Each structure stands twice: as structure tokens, then as C-alpha cells.
Amino acid sequence: LPRCGARTTLSRARRAGWYIMLRSIARHLGEAGDPYRRRVERAEAVTDLLPLLNPVLEAILARAGSQAAAEFADTAALLLRPPEQRTQ
């Protein structure tokens, strides 16, 4: 039973990470972000998304500037916090 709860939490975290990354890629990179988009869509776990954070951040910085990159980084940082700290 505890494993089921862990899966639910991971599933929620994965969906949140997936959504945030896809939204940011579409908004700031457009078609140039398609290679990242495909990798995010194939991610099966939050750990699959982690290696993409820096490359997506770098691409957003180069294409959309420091403000957009900072917003993406701040949002991604929230995902990396333990679930009990995300509401603070």
C-alpha cells in the first residue's frame, strides 16, 4: 500500500514536470524546441526529466533571455523540492 502512494506522488511530480517543461519549450523555443519536447514526452519518470533541465534552461536563455530562463529555473526548482516543502 505505501508503494501505491509513492507511485501516486511520483506520477503527480512527473505530470507537473512534464507540463512545465512542455509549456516552457513551446512558449520560449517554438519549433526549435522539438528535440527537447520529444524527449520530455518520452519521459517515464521524474528522473528522466532531470537531465533535460539544464539543456532546456540553456536553450531558453539563448533564445528568450535571462528573465524567461530565470522563470523556468525557479519553476523547475519547485519540482525538485520534497513534496512536503512545495507548499511553503
Side-chain angles (χ1 to χ4, degrees):
L1 208 55
R3 294 185 80 192
C4 182
R7 284 186 194 151
T8 301
T9 299
L10 288 175
S11 178
R12 287 180 187 157
R14 183 220 171 258
R15 283 193 309 264
W18 183 80
Y19 173 77
I20 289 165
M21 291 187 77
L22 288 178
R23 185 188 69 190
S24 295
I25 290 167
R27 181 175 174 199
H28 300 299
L29 302 178
E31 288 182 15
D34 283 351
Y36 300 117
R37 180 187 50 79
R38 286 190 292 274
R39 289 179 63 191
V40 170
E41 289 172 344
R42 287 192 307 260
E44 294 183 15
V46 174
T47 54
D48 296 333
L49 296 173
L50 296 179
L52 297 171
L53 290 175
N54 193 55
V56 170
L57 176 65
E58 294 284 333
I60 291 172
L61 177 61
R63 179 135 177 171
S66 60
Q67 181 66 29
E71 289 173 10
F72 175 77
D74 288 345
T75 304
L78 288 174
L79 289 176
L80 298 175
R81 295 176 83 177
E84 62 274 4
Q85 292 180 3
R86 289 187 192 148
T87 58
Q88 296 178 355

